[in-house]
Structure formats: C-alpha cells, structure tokens
C-alpha cells in the first residue's frame, strides 16, 4: 500500500480498479518485421469492434441527448468503412512490414494533416474526428480501454485529460472516480464531474504512476490516492463515506425550504447549466432559476453550427422547465479552454487572452445574431436574461445592444413574439470590468461575477496551469477586494449582482459574499444543499465582521486565518 499526493477537485470517495485511457498518439510505436497478413487481420478486427462500440454510443446518445447529437457517430462509423482509409492502412502495413497500430497512426496523422490544412471550418473539424477514431482503433489494438468503450464493471478512470464531451458521456454507474494529469477545479471536466457526483483528483504523471488494474481508493476532498489499500485503510475510507452520506442527509433536510441566514437574510441559490441534459438534474433540485447557462456547449462537438431553430428549441425547453424562475443565458463564450473548430480561431500563444467570448461574437456577427434571435424568441415562453461574457470595454456592451436592437426590429417585422423588457447583464471577469464597474453598472441590468476567469486575470495565472496553481486563489486579498468593489458598484446603481464562478460555492467564503452584499449565488446544483445548510447556520452580522477584518489582510494566509477562525 502506498500514497500519491494529488490535488482535490470533486468530492466523494472513489474505490475500484484503475482503467487508463491512453492518448495513443504518444503510445503507438513502430514495430517492424511483422507478419503482415496477421497485422491486416488485427486492423480489421479492431475496426469492426470500434464500429460496434460507436453504435452503442450512437444509440445511447440518440436516446439520452438527441438525434442531432448522435449524427456525429454515424459519421465516425462511415470513416471506419471508408475504402480510402482502409486501403492506405493495408498498403502501409504491406510496404513497411509494420504493426497495425503504427500503420493506422501514420495514416491517421497523414489524413488529419490534410484536413487541418483546409480553410473551411467544417473540414477542419473532420481532423478531430479522424484523431478520435484512430485513437479508438489503436486503443483496441493495443488492448487498452477507451472512455467511450463499453466497460461494464466499476472502475476508476485515469487519463491525461478529458474533454468536456468525454466527461459528459461517461457511464456514471461504472465510473467510480476520475484521475487526470491536468486540469483544476474550474476546468469544464471538473464542473461536469461535480454535477455527476464523480469524485475527482488531479495527479501529475497519473498515467505513469498508476497501471491498469491497480486497486485505488481516494477522497476527492483530500486529493491523495492510496494504491493497494489494506483492510484498515478500506475501513477508514468506508467510515468517511458513511460520514459523507450522513452529511448529505443533513443537507437534504432543508430541501424545499427557503435559503436564509439565522437572522432571516434571504440568499438566492440558482443553477449553473452546460447542456440540455443537465435539466433533468435541475428540475429535481432546489434551484428555481438558472444563473448561468453556458451555451458554448451547444456549439462544441458538432459538425456544423446549430441553426436558430435548433437553438430556439433548446432555450425554450429550458425556459419552459424553469417556469417558476428565470434562465440566464450566457451568449457564446467559445475560445480559451473551450475550443471548437467551427470557428476560425487562429492558433494563439495566449488563448485565454485571445479571440474569445464577446470578442469573437462581435466579429462573427451573423452567428451572434442567430443566437440572439433564438434567445429573444425563447423569451416569449418564460423569463430569460441575456448575459455577455468577457466584457472588457463599454464599447462591447453598446455594440451588443445595437445588434440586439436590430434583432428585435427584425422579429417585430416578422410578427414574432419576444420579451420586450428582456434584461441584459454582463459577466464581470476581467480586471478592466472591475475597474470600470461603476460605469458599466449604469449600462446594464445585472452583474454576475465569473470568478474562474476573474481570478486568473487578476493574478495573471493561467487557470489550467498546474505549475503555478498555488497562485490561483480565490482567497487572495486582490481577488476579495475586487469582489467588494464590484458589489459596491452594483449596489450603488441598484442592479442585481451574483457570483457564477466556482467560488460561489466556497463554504469558507460564504460569510464574505454576504458581508459585501451578494445575495445571489449560482453553482452546480450538486453543491446547493451544502451551501444552503451552511448559510442557514450563519448570521449576516458575521458576514459584516468578516469583511471588516479581511480589509486588513495582506496575503492568502491572513485571509485563511480569518476565514478558518470564523468557520461554522
Ligand atoms: C467564470 O469565468 O467564472 C465562469 C463562470 O465562466 P467559465 O468558467 O465558463 O469561463
Ligand atoms: Mg469565464
């Protein structure tokens, strides 16, 4: 039995055998002098197995997500039947006398390069499909497991990284835990794992420190993983699991009740949502409204842009389901860590500082208009608020408002209904927006603070870079002072202010949020019960005191000392 120190990401106890998802681009090695007939047969067997695996995914996607989303898997299957691809792999094996996995890797890379060099965004997207498919087949050949493959027994998934779509298609009944080598609490795979209640830790070099079949156990709140736990260790973890269940029961006792402090200050807890299938979770939760709908996920893993009609149906479905509240739809925030080849985003040295969010929408006006029209039309079915990401200048707000007016006029001419009073708000997630908060507050109906990005831009720390992750802290006084300034600006102009980054659910910071006057928090619905319970144990006076004491803090340690001493 031994321990590896990791970084805690999503809570819960995970226990099971390791299954490593290899990035095969690093794995396949050239073996020469092979029996070529045998290698060609191995290639075909793996290809047919992959087609059948993809069929399972296609059917489950069609059933659980939708027909449109399942179409991509049909395309994947037809690539595997493509005589051109098959012919090239066979020829390569015969000419070089090499193994099947190497031939496929070489041919796959060759085809990918052709697609990547094309100007057309749709064709560029095909390059990713080719990578996906070749990885799957190479994995099968090399006897590795694949995230999308049908493993029908409990396991702990270990990978270098997971894309948001990989995370959201995981079979939750089998995946008992996740370990990746990169990522952090604000990565989108982490956000989805939290929603799905899958314990998650990050371990640098996890795919080399662990091997398939290793029995591991870990607590996603602590981060360390135990390999080969003995009986005593297993007992300790089972006891922890029992404690967690008891805590969950305690939190659940407040379900259906209003979220209030002991002295009756109400706090509104609303949901973050990334995809239509999150809706099933949300309607069963305590959240009456959506504080952040990350619409970029509608544009990711697609072979073409979603039409106005398709977007309208999605927004309408969510808005109708949240009939007692409202839905805050954040306009497309592609770029940064959320990539999509549907957009012509050039390769950038600093994607987080690059062509993303509102910057892209104001260039790709037709794509933006399509989204705004779909949102406006859906607003005829319930309360919708429009939220703009990555705002750094007032110009971006004004330009968006002009485009929105054009969309409204067009809908008027077409005789289509929409909410004429629809609110328009902005995410405060750039230091420029913090500095200008008093000015921006006069221009919009609400602020929502995107702490995930605000922390990275304030501290100048890439939110996904583990090497400098110690500097990425919501407890830094620079971040806390910014939050206070934003809240003051909003309160002065009498507009609503909320937090929708992961820090909204940070239990230690709840008194501070209340103390600076933030009474609306948007988070993964899985975190709502614990936050609600903690708010029910505190008073608003406690919040005011914490703010006062923290105004003198000069570093993270100071802040944590104060927060820990005022902890419940
Ligand atoms: C944020 O930046 O805090 C946020 C909520 O947006 P995202 O994580 O999608 O960038
Ligand atoms: Mg953000």
């Amino acid at each position: 039995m031994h321990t590896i120190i990791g970084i805690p990401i999503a809570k819960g106890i995970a226990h099971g055998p390791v299954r490593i998802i290899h990035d095969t681009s690093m794995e396949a090695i050239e073996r020469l002098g092979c029996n070529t007939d045998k290698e060609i047969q191995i290639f075909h067997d793996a290809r047919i197995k992959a087609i059948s695996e993809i069929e399972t995914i296609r059917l489950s996607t069609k059933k659980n997500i939708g027909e449109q989303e399942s179409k991509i898997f049909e395309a994947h299957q037809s690539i595997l039947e493509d005589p051109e691809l098959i012919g090239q792999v066979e020829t390569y094996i015969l000419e070089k006398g090499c193994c099947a996995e190497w031939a496929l890797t070489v041919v796959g890379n060759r085809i990918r390069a052709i697609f990547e060099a094309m100007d057309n965004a749709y064709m560029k997207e095909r390059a990713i499909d080719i990578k996906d498919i070749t990885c799957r087949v190479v994995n099968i050949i090399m006897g590795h497991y694949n995230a999308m493959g049908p493993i029908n027994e409990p396991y702990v998934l270990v990978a270098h990284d997971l894309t948001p779509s990989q995370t959201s298609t995981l079979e939750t009944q089998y995946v008992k835990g996740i370990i990746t080598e990169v990522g952090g609490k604000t990565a989108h795979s982490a956000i989805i794992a939290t929603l799905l209640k899958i314990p998650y830790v990050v371990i640098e070099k996890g795919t080399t420190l662990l091997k398939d079949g290793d029995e591991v156990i870990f607590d996603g709140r602590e981060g360390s993983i135990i390999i080969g736990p003995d009986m005593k260790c297993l007992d300790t973890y089972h006891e922890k699991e029992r404690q967690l269940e008891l805590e969950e029961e305690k939190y659940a006792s407040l379900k259906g009740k209003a979220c209030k402090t002991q002295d009756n200050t109400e706090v509104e807890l609303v949901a973050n949502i990334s995809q239509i299938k999150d809706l099933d979770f949300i309607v069963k939760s305590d959240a009456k409204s959506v504080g952040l709908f990350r619409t970029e996920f509608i544009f990711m893993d697609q072979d073409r842009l979603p039409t106005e009609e398709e977007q309208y149906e999605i927004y309408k479905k969510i808005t109708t389901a949240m009939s007692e509240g409202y839905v805050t739809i954040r306009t497309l925030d592609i770029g940064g860590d959320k990539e999509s080849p549907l957009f012509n985003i050039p390769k950038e040295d600093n994607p987080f500082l690059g062509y993303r969010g509102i910057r892209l929408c104001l260039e790709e006006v037709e794509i933006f208009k399509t989204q705004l029209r779909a949102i406006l039309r859906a607003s005829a079915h319930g309360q919708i608020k429009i939220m703009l990401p990555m705002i750094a200048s007032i110009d971006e707000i004004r330009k968006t408002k002009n485009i929105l007016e054009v969309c409204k006029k067009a809908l008027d001419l077409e005789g289509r209904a929409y909410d004429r009073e629809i609110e328009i708000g902005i995410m405060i997630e750039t230091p420029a927006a913090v500095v200008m908060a008093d000015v921006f507050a006069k221009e919009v109906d609400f602020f929502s603070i995107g702490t995930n990005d605000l922390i990275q831009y304030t501290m100048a720390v890439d939110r996904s870079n583990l090497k400098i992750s110690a500097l990425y802290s919501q407890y830094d006084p620079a971040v806390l002072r910014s939050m206070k300034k934003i809240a003051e600006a909003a309160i002065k102009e009498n507009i609503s202010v909320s937090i929708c980054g992961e820090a909204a659910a940070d239990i230690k910071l709840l008194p501070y949020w209340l103390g600076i006057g933030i009474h609306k928090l948007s988070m993964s619905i899985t975190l709502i019960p614990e936050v609600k319970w903690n708010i029910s144990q505190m008073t608003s006076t406690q919040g005011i005191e914490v703010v006062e004491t923290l105004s003198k803090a000069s570093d993270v340690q100071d802040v944590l000392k104060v927060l820990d001493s005022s902890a419940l």
Side-chain angles (χ1 to χ4, degrees):
M1 174 171 118
H2 66 282
T3 305
I4 308 178
I5 307 293
I7 301 168
I9 304 287
K11 79 171 184 179
I13 307 292
H15 180 207
V18 159
R19 296 285 181 251
I20 300 183
I21 312 297
H22 289 270
D23 178 349
T24 49
S25 56
M26 294 185 284
E27 287 287 318
I29 44 165
E30 188 179 17
R31 281 190 293 115
L32 297 172
C34 298
N35 174 336
T36 51
D37 285 349
K38 198 169 149 220
E39 292 302 319
I40 288 175
Q41 191 56 48
I42 288 174
F43 164 60
H44 285 294
D45 289 348
R47 194 176 61 79
I48 287 156
K49 186 156 186 262
I51 293 174
S52 117
E53 279 185 9
I54 297 170
E55 181 62 6
T56 313
I57 302 162
R58 190 186 70 79
L59 292 174
S60 105
T61 308
K62 190 171 168 191
K63 182 163 160 257
N64 300 324
I65 306 179
E67 171 118 33
Q68 177 60 31
E69 288 79 0
S70 73
K71 290 237 162 31
I72 186 72
F73 299 111
E74 274 171 31
H76 282 196
Q77 286 172 318
S78 58
I79 294 172
L80 283 171
E81 312 265 19
D82 181 24
E84 180 64 28
L85 174 98
I86 297 173
Q88 284 198 35
V89 174
E90 286 179 348
T91 310
Y92 199 87
I93 294 175
L94 289 170
E95 279 177 359
K96 303 277 174 185
C98 70
C99 59
E101 66 271 26
W102 182 250
L104 182 57
T105 306
V106 173
V107 171
N109 287 344
R110 211 189 266 162
I111 301 176
R112 259 173 66 197
I114 297 172
F115 282 116
E116 268 165 5
M118 293 183 182
D119 278 344
N120 180 307
Y122 176 80
M123 296 314 267
K124 274 191 201 295
E125 164 92 344
R126 304 279 66 79
I128 293 188
D129 293 335
I130 301 286
K131 177 161 192 237
D132 246 38
I133 295 159
T134 48
C135 278
R136 176 181 297 281
V137 182
V138 171
N139 268 331
I140 293 171
I141 297 174
M142 296 178 71
H144 290 315
Y145 296 86
N146 188 300
M148 313 289 261
I151 302 174
N152 46 13
E153 57 186 21
Y155 66 103
V156 172
L157 188 159
V158 180
H160 173 68
D161 195 7
L162 288 175
T163 62
S165 66
Q166 274 175 316
T167 322
S168 60
T169 48
L170 293 174
E171 297 267 17
T172 44
Q173 76 264 43
Y174 301 127
V175 181
K176 296 296 159 201
I178 299 176
I179 299 171
T180 61
E181 297 180 321
V182 294
K185 268 199 164 79
T186 66
H188 290 275
S189 47
I191 292 168
I192 296 170
T194 303
L195 176 73
L196 299 176
K197 292 195 172 176
I198 306 178
Y200 183 1
V201 299
V202 168
I203 309 263
E204 247 189 299
K205 302 203 177 76
T207 63
T208 36
L209 294 171
L210 295 160
K211 56 182 191 318
D212 273 323
D214 274 349
E215 183 190 356
V216 294
I217 195 161
F218 67 81
D219 180 344
R221 282 196 292 199
E222 292 169 358
S224 302
I225 69 156
I226 318 278
I227 306 171
D230 58 19
M231 280 315 283
K232 195 163 156 245
C233 172
L234 287 177
D235 284 349
T236 314
Y237 274 83
H238 290 151
E239 179 51 28
K240 279 179 194 236
E241 196 162 20
R242 218 177 62 80
Q243 289 305 329
L244 270 176
E245 280 163 15
L246 290 176
E247 275 177 29
E248 298 273 324
E249 276 171 32
K250 178 173 77 179
Y251 304 148
S253 65
L254 293 182
K255 188 159 194 297
K257 302 200 174 121
C259 176
K260 284 182 189 168
T261 60
Q262 302 246 313
D263 49 350
N264 272 328
T265 302
E266 281 225 32
V267 181
E268 192 185 349
L269 301 182
V270 292
N272 286 355
I273 178 171
S274 300
Q275 45 194 342
I276 190 87
K277 75 177 189 176
D278 295 356
L279 203 54
D280 295 344
F281 295 96
I282 291 175
V283 287
K284 289 189 207 124
S285 82
D286 250 1
K288 297 274 173 286
S289 298
V290 171
L292 166 65
F293 175 20
R294 292 180 160 102
T295 58
E296 50 279 7
F297 286 87
I298 303 172
F299 294 73
M300 287 160 77
D301 295 313
Q302 296 298 323
D303 49 10
R304 57 166 179 76
L305 290 166
T307 62
E308 175 183 323
E309 212 53 36
E310 284 163 350
Q311 291 190 59
Y312 163 68
E313 286 300 331
I314 294 173
Y315 305 147
K316 180 174 137 188
K317 193 165 173 196
I318 296 177
T319 309
T320 316
M322 305 306 289
S323 57
E324 286 181 51
Y326 56 84
V327 178
T328 313
I329 302 185
R330 176 173 78 182
T331 57
L332 184 61
D333 187 16
I334 215 83
D337 61 343
K338 286 164 283 191
E339 296 167 2
S340 167
L342 295 180
F343 303 91
N344 282 322
I345 304 180
K347 184 109 194 80
E348 298 176 305
D349 287 338
N350 295 300
F352 277 117
L353 301 181
Y355 187 49
R356 64 170 290 198
I358 196 73
R359 301 166 184 185
L360 183 144
C361 287
L362 291 173
E363 286 278 321
E364 301 273 4
V365 178
E366 285 314 310
I367 297 176
F368 198 21
K369 274 191 190 162
T370 304
Q371 181 172 43
L372 291 173
R373 278 179 57 97
I375 298 174
L376 283 169
R377 286 176 52 201
S379 72
H381 302 277
Q383 200 191 345
I384 290 185
K385 299 169 192 255
I386 299 176
M387 180 155 78
L388 312 176
M390 277 297 288
I391 293 293
S393 87
I394 200 155
D395 203 38
E396 291 159 339
I397 307 174
R398 291 182 178 154
K399 278 190 178 138
T400 303
K401 282 183 168 177
N402 287 340
I403 297 172
L404 192 66
E405 278 315 304
V406 171
C407 294
K408 284 182 178 176
K409 286 212 175 82
L411 291 177
D412 283 338
L413 285 174
E414 294 163 29
R416 291 186 194 265
Y418 63 90
D419 174 7
R420 291 175 180 278
E421 305 303 317
I422 195 162
E423 287 187 15
I424 177 154
I426 56 171
M427 304 229 4
I428 303 282
E429 49 186 351
T430 66
V434 178
V435 175
M436 297 299 287
D438 55 336
V439 179
F440 292 2
K442 294 188 175 66
E443 200 72 26
V444 295
D445 298 309
F446 64 92
F447 282 168
S448 187
I449 310 174
T451 46
N452 301 344
D453 277 318
L454 184 61
I455 299 168
Q456 82 164 341
Y457 296 130
T458 304
M459 302 308 297
V461 172
D462 178 339
R463 77 195 227 188
S464 47
N465 186 337
L466 283 186
K467 184 112 188 98
I468 44 174
S469 64
L471 283 170
Y472 181 98
S473 174
Q474 63 269 37
Y475 306 118
D476 197 287
V479 174
L480 296 182
R481 284 185 187 206
S482 296
M483 302 294 286
K484 185 162 177 281
K485 189 169 158 44
I486 301 162
E488 282 165 358
I491 292 164
K492 183 152 177 266
E493 288 305 322
N494 207 14
I495 63 166
S496 146
V497 55
S498 61
I499 305 174
C500 63
E502 304 319 295
D506 187 313
I507 303 296
K508 286 187 206 241
L509 281 167
L510 293 175
Y512 190 81
W513 301 153
L514 265 58
I516 58 175
I518 295 181
H519 296 116
K520 188 192 292 189
L521 302 168
S522 191
M523 63 194 70
S524 167
I525 50 134
T526 351
L527 305 173
I528 289 182
E530 184 175 357
V531 169
K532 192 193 230 187
W533 189 86
N534 278 279
I535 289 175
S536 77
Q537 304 300 300
M538 57 178 274
T539 63
S540 39
T541 330
Q542 202 181 330
I544 292 163
E545 282 165 12
V546 166
V547 174
E548 171 61 28
T549 322
L550 283 185
S551 66
K552 298 173 204 99
S554 56
D555 61 15
V556 173
Q557 282 68 32
D558 277 357
V559 171
L560 282 172
K561 229 183 275 162
V562 174
L563 295 179
D564 287 336
S565 68
S566 69
L568 306 162

